Amino acid sequence: MKRTALGTAVAAWSLLALGLGSMAAAAASPFEDGVKALAAGDAQGALRQMEAAVAGEPENVRYVSEYRQAVIKTGSYDRAIDFFEKLVKDHPESANAWLNYGYAYVDKIPAAGAITQVILANNALTRFSRSIEIKPTWLALYTRGNSYLYWPKIFGRAPLGVADLERALAMSKNEPKRVYHVHAYVALGDAYVKTDQPEKARAIWQEGAGAKLFPDEPQLKARLARQGEELESYINDQLDPNKRVDTNLREVWEAR
């Protein structure tokens, strides 16, 4: 049977559509390429691809967080700091870029000496503050507030932590409940302990452990099970700057 002109055109378009579909399926994004390279042991290739992805989407929480996790695995802390320095120059109003620039300094702290740790921590706070100036999100306020708690009492930064964490907690009460909101309850209680307000600490932990919030959270249970010097010793151990702070934002990007 002779093919009509219309039939020929339809067939041609179908083949073209199939070809384009195959090309789209075959073309992976720089981020996906970076994940594959990391899994294959190609650290430099992974970082290069992930940096391309982040540079293209600096507000993508997953891309930026997963890039930093790759940096931690490879110990490429200075490379990441240099990358974020350029990123915020290219995207000065990206709150997410500034926030993760601060995290890049935090990620390096366990690998540094005591004096350098102070410099890194201070640099991180500066970047967190810039992120908050651009956009005061729950995550940014919690992050800066929690960071203040790692400083010894003599620096007088715990009250600043209280202020940030109270704002973060108030903000979370006006948002849909997320699993990561529990961290503000934990940290605010720690901030109250560090500012000699143990009763307020216990009250906020009990609130967070309520049946409608986070009754199974082990960090809240651990604090509520301790009092006095035992509690202070436990919190100080949790806030040891030589221990790696978990800056993985998986809980945040998975909730979006």
Side-chain angles (χ1 to χ4, degrees), residues 156-189:
R157 293 193 168 184
L160 299 174
V162 169
D164 276 350
L165 293 164
E166 286 181 340
R167 286 179 67 191
L169 190 62
M171 189 177 292
S172 71
K173 292 180 179 180
N174 292 317
E175 300 175 355
K177 189 182 80 169
R178 302 296 189 192
V179 63
Y180 53 80
H181 286 157
V182 69
H183 300 305
Y185 285 93
V186 173
L188 181 54

Short mmCIF file of all heavy atoms in Angstrom, two decimals, residues 156-189:
data_model
loop_
_atom_site.label_atom_id
_atom_site.label_comp_id
_atom_site.label_asym_id
_atom_site.label_seq_id
_atom_site.Cartn_x
_atom_site.Cartn_y
_atom_site.Cartn_z
N GLY A 156 31.20 34.95 75.46
CA GLY A 156 29.89 35.56 75.63
C GLY A 156 28.96 35.45 74.43
O GLY A 156 28.12 36.33 74.20
N ARG A 157 29.11 34.37 73.66
CA ARG A 157 28.29 34.24 72.46
C ARG A 157 27.03 33.39 72.64
O ARG A 157 26.17 33.37 71.76
CB ARG A 157 29.14 33.69 71.31
CG ARG A 157 30.21 34.67 70.88
CD ARG A 157 30.86 34.31 69.58
NE ARG A 157 31.67 35.41 69.07
CZ ARG A 157 32.30 35.41 67.90
NH1 ARG A 157 32.23 34.35 67.12
NH2 ARG A 157 33.01 36.46 67.51
N ALA A 158 26.93 32.71 73.76
CA ALA A 158 25.75 31.87 74.00
C ALA A 158 24.44 32.67 73.98
O ALA A 158 23.44 32.20 73.43
CB ALA A 158 25.89 31.10 75.30
N PRO A 159 24.41 33.90 74.56
CA PRO A 159 23.17 34.69 74.46
C PRO A 159 22.77 34.98 73.02
O PRO A 159 21.57 35.05 72.70
CB PRO A 159 23.51 35.98 75.22
CG PRO A 159 24.57 35.57 76.19
CD PRO A 159 25.39 34.56 75.44
N LEU A 160 23.75 35.16 72.15
CA LEU A 160 23.44 35.37 70.73
C LEU A 160 22.82 34.10 70.14
O LEU A 160 21.92 34.17 69.30
CB LEU A 160 24.70 35.73 69.96
CG LEU A 160 25.43 37.01 70.38
CD1 LEU A 160 26.74 37.16 69.62
CD2 LEU A 160 24.54 38.22 70.16
N GLY A 161 23.30 32.96 70.62
CA GLY A 161 22.73 31.68 70.19
C GLY A 161 21.28 31.56 70.62
O GLY A 161 20.43 31.10 69.86
N VAL A 162 20.99 31.98 71.85
CA VAL A 162 19.62 31.95 72.35
C VAL A 162 18.71 32.77 71.44
O VAL A 162 17.63 32.32 71.04
CB VAL A 162 19.54 32.49 73.80
CG1 VAL A 162 18.08 32.72 74.21
CG2 VAL A 162 20.22 31.53 74.77
N ALA A 163 19.14 33.97 71.09
CA ALA A 163 18.32 34.87 70.26
C ALA A 163 18.02 34.24 68.90
O ALA A 163 16.86 34.24 68.44
CB ALA A 163 19.02 36.21 70.09
N ASP A 164 19.04 33.70 68.24
CA ASP A 164 18.83 33.09 66.93
C ASP A 164 17.94 31.87 67.01
O ASP A 164 17.04 31.66 66.18
CB ASP A 164 20.18 32.67 66.32
CG ASP A 164 20.88 33.82 65.61
OD1 ASP A 164 20.26 34.88 65.43
OD2 ASP A 164 22.06 33.64 65.24
N LEU A 165 18.18 31.03 68.00
CA LEU A 165 17.44 29.78 68.11
C LEU A 165 15.98 30.01 68.52
O LEU A 165 15.10 29.28 68.08
CB LEU A 165 18.14 28.84 69.09
CG LEU A 165 19.51 28.34 68.58
CD1 LEU A 165 20.33 27.74 69.71
CD2 LEU A 165 19.32 27.32 67.46
N GLU A 166 15.74 31.03 69.32
CA GLU A 166 14.35 31.38 69.64
C GLU A 166 13.62 31.84 68.38
O GLU A 166 12.45 31.51 68.18
CB GLU A 166 14.32 32.46 70.72
CG GLU A 166 14.66 31.93 72.11
CD GLU A 166 14.61 33.00 73.19
OE1 GLU A 166 14.68 34.21 72.84
OE2 GLU A 166 14.51 32.64 74.37
N ARG A 167 14.30 32.60 67.54
CA ARG A 167 13.69 33.03 66.27
C ARG A 167 13.41 31.83 65.37
O ARG A 167 12.35 31.74 64.74
CB ARG A 167 14.60 34.01 65.55
CG ARG A 167 14.65 35.41 66.13
CD ARG A 167 15.61 36.29 65.33
NE ARG A 167 15.12 36.54 63.97
CZ ARG A 167 15.86 37.09 63.01
NH1 ARG A 167 17.13 37.42 63.24
NH2 ARG A 167 15.34 37.31 61.81
N ALA A 168 14.37 30.92 65.30
CA ALA A 168 14.20 29.74 64.46
C ALA A 168 13.02 28.90 64.95
O ALA A 168 12.21 28.42 64.15
CB ALA A 168 15.48 28.90 64.45
N LEU A 169 12.94 28.72 66.26
CA LEU A 169 11.86 27.91 66.82
C LEU A 169 10.50 28.57 66.56
O LEU A 169 9.54 27.89 66.17
CB LEU A 169 12.08 27.72 68.32
CG LEU A 169 11.16 26.70 69.00
CD1 LEU A 169 11.37 25.31 68.41
CD2 LEU A 169 11.41 26.67 70.51
N ALA A 170 10.43 29.88 66.76
CA ALA A 170 9.17 30.59 66.50
C ALA A 170 8.78 30.46 65.03
O ALA A 170 7.60 30.28 64.69
CB ALA A 170 9.32 32.06 66.88
N MET A 171 9.75 30.51 64.15
CA MET A 171 9.50 30.38 62.71
C MET A 171 8.95 29.00 62.38
O MET A 171 8.01 28.85 61.59
CB MET A 171 10.80 30.65 61.94
CG MET A 171 10.64 30.77 60.45
SD MET A 171 12.21 31.18 59.63
CE MET A 171 12.47 32.84 60.23
N SER A 172 9.51 27.96 63.00
CA SER A 172 9.07 26.59 62.72
C SER A 172 7.62 26.35 63.13
O SER A 172 6.93 25.52 62.54
CB SER A 172 9.99 25.58 63.41
OG SER A 172 9.80 25.59 64.81
N LYS A 173 7.16 27.10 64.14
CA LYS A 173 5.79 26.92 64.62
C LYS A 173 4.77 27.49 63.64
O LYS A 173 3.57 27.21 63.77
CB LYS A 173 5.64 27.55 66.01
CG LYS A 173 6.43 26.81 67.08
CD LYS A 173 6.28 27.45 68.45
CE LYS A 173 7.05 26.66 69.50
NZ LYS A 173 6.93 27.24 70.85
N ASN A 174 5.25 28.27 62.69
CA ASN A 174 4.36 28.82 61.66
C ASN A 174 4.53 28.13 60.32
O ASN A 174 4.05 28.61 59.30
CB ASN A 174 4.64 30.33 61.50
CG ASN A 174 4.23 31.12 62.73
OD1 ASN A 174 3.17 30.90 63.30
ND2 ASN A 174 5.08 32.04 63.14
N GLU A 175 5.26 27.00 60.33
CA GLU A 175 5.49 26.21 59.12
C GLU A 175 4.98 24.79 59.35
O GLU A 175 4.79 24.38 60.48
CB GLU A 175 7.00 26.16 58.80
CG GLU A 175 7.64 27.51 58.56
CD GLU A 175 9.15 27.38 58.37
OE1 GLU A 175 9.69 26.25 58.52
OE2 GLU A 175 9.80 28.41 58.07
N PRO A 176 4.76 24.04 58.28
CA PRO A 176 4.45 22.61 58.45
C PRO A 176 5.59 21.92 59.20
O PRO A 176 6.75 22.23 58.98
CB PRO A 176 4.34 22.09 57.01
CG PRO A 176 4.06 23.30 56.18
CD PRO A 176 4.76 24.44 56.86
N LYS A 177 5.25 21.01 60.10
CA LYS A 177 6.29 20.33 60.88
C LYS A 177 7.21 19.53 59.97
O LYS A 177 6.76 18.79 59.11
CB LYS A 177 5.65 19.39 61.92
CG LYS A 177 6.66 18.81 62.91
CD LYS A 177 6.02 17.85 63.88
CE LYS A 177 5.84 16.47 63.24
NZ LYS A 177 5.46 15.43 64.23
N ARG A 178 8.50 19.70 60.18
CA ARG A 178 9.52 18.95 59.45
C ARG A 178 10.41 18.23 60.45
O ARG A 178 10.61 18.71 61.57
CB ARG A 178 10.40 19.89 58.60
CG ARG A 178 9.63 20.73 57.58
CD ARG A 178 8.95 19.87 56.54
NE ARG A 178 8.39 20.67 55.45
CZ ARG A 178 7.55 20.20 54.54
NH1 ARG A 178 7.16 18.93 54.59
NH2 ARG A 178 7.08 20.98 53.59
N VAL A 179 10.96 17.11 60.03
CA VAL A 179 11.78 16.31 60.94
C VAL A 179 12.98 17.10 61.44
O VAL A 179 13.41 16.93 62.59
CB VAL A 179 12.23 15.00 60.24
CG1 VAL A 179 13.13 15.29 59.05
CG2 VAL A 179 12.94 14.08 61.23
N TYR A 180 13.51 18.00 60.63
CA TYR A 180 14.70 18.74 61.04
C TYR A 180 14.40 19.84 62.06
O TYR A 180 15.32 20.36 62.70
CB TYR A 180 15.43 19.33 59.82
CG TYR A 180 14.58 20.17 58.89
CD1 TYR A 180 14.27 21.49 59.18
CD2 TYR A 180 14.11 19.64 57.69
CE1 TYR A 180 13.51 22.26 58.32
CE2 TYR A 180 13.36 20.40 56.81
CZ TYR A 180 13.06 21.71 57.12
OH TYR A 180 12.30 22.47 56.26
N HIS A 181 13.14 20.19 62.26
CA HIS A 181 12.81 21.22 63.24
C HIS A 181 13.21 20.81 64.66
O HIS A 181 13.39 21.68 65.52
CB HIS A 181 11.31 21.53 63.21
CG HIS A 181 10.90 22.35 62.02
ND1 HIS A 181 9.60 22.35 61.53
CD2 HIS A 181 11.60 23.19 61.21
CE1 HIS A 181 9.53 23.15 60.48
NE2 HIS A 181 10.72 23.66 60.26
N VAL A 182 13.35 19.53 64.90
CA VAL A 182 13.72 19.05 66.23
C VAL A 182 15.07 19.61 66.66
O VAL A 182 15.32 19.82 67.86
CB VAL A 182 13.75 17.51 66.30
CG1 VAL A 182 14.89 16.94 65.46
CG2 VAL A 182 13.85 17.02 67.74
N HIS A 183 15.95 19.89 65.71
CA HIS A 183 17.30 20.35 66.06
C HIS A 183 17.27 21.69 66.79
O HIS A 183 18.13 21.96 67.64
CB HIS A 183 18.16 20.45 64.81
CG HIS A 183 18.31 19.14 64.08
ND1 HIS A 183 18.78 18.00 64.70
CD2 HIS A 183 18.04 18.79 62.80
CE1 HIS A 183 18.80 17.01 63.82
NE2 HIS A 183 18.35 17.46 62.67
N ALA A 184 16.29 22.53 66.51
CA ALA A 184 16.19 23.82 67.19
C ALA A 184 15.78 23.63 68.65
O ALA A 184 16.24 24.36 69.53
CB ALA A 184 15.21 24.74 66.47
N TYR A 185 14.91 22.64 68.91
CA TYR A 185 14.53 22.34 70.31
C TYR A 185 15.75 21.88 71.10
O TYR A 185 15.97 22.30 72.23
CB TYR A 185 13.45 21.27 70.35
CG TYR A 185 12.08 21.76 69.95
CD1 TYR A 185 11.63 21.66 68.64
CD2 TYR A 185 11.22 22.31 70.89
CE1 TYR A 185 10.37 22.11 68.27
CE2 TYR A 185 9.96 22.77 70.55
CZ TYR A 185 9.53 22.67 69.23
OH TYR A 185 8.29 23.12 68.88
N VAL A 186 16.53 21.00 70.50
CA VAL A 186 17.73 20.49 71.17
C VAL A 186 18.71 21.63 71.43
O VAL A 186 19.19 21.82 72.56
CB VAL A 186 18.41 19.40 70.31
CG1 VAL A 186 19.75 18.99 70.93
CG2 VAL A 186 17.50 18.19 70.18
N ALA A 187 19.03 22.39 70.39
CA ALA A 187 20.05 23.43 70.50
C ALA A 187 19.62 24.57 71.41
O ALA A 187 20.44 25.12 72.16
CB ALA A 187 20.39 23.97 69.11
N LEU A 188 18.34 24.95 71.37
CA LEU A 188 17.88 26.04 72.24
C LEU A 188 18.01 25.64 73.71
O LEU A 188 18.43 26.45 74.54
CB LEU A 188 16.44 26.42 71.91
CG LEU A 188 15.85 27.57 72.74
CD1 LEU A 188 16.73 28.81 72.68
CD2 LEU A 188 14.44 27.90 72.26
N GLY A 189 17.70 24.39 74.02
CA GLY A 189 17.89 23.92 75.39
C GLY A 189 19.35 23.99 75.79
O GLY A 189 19.69 24.42 76.90
#
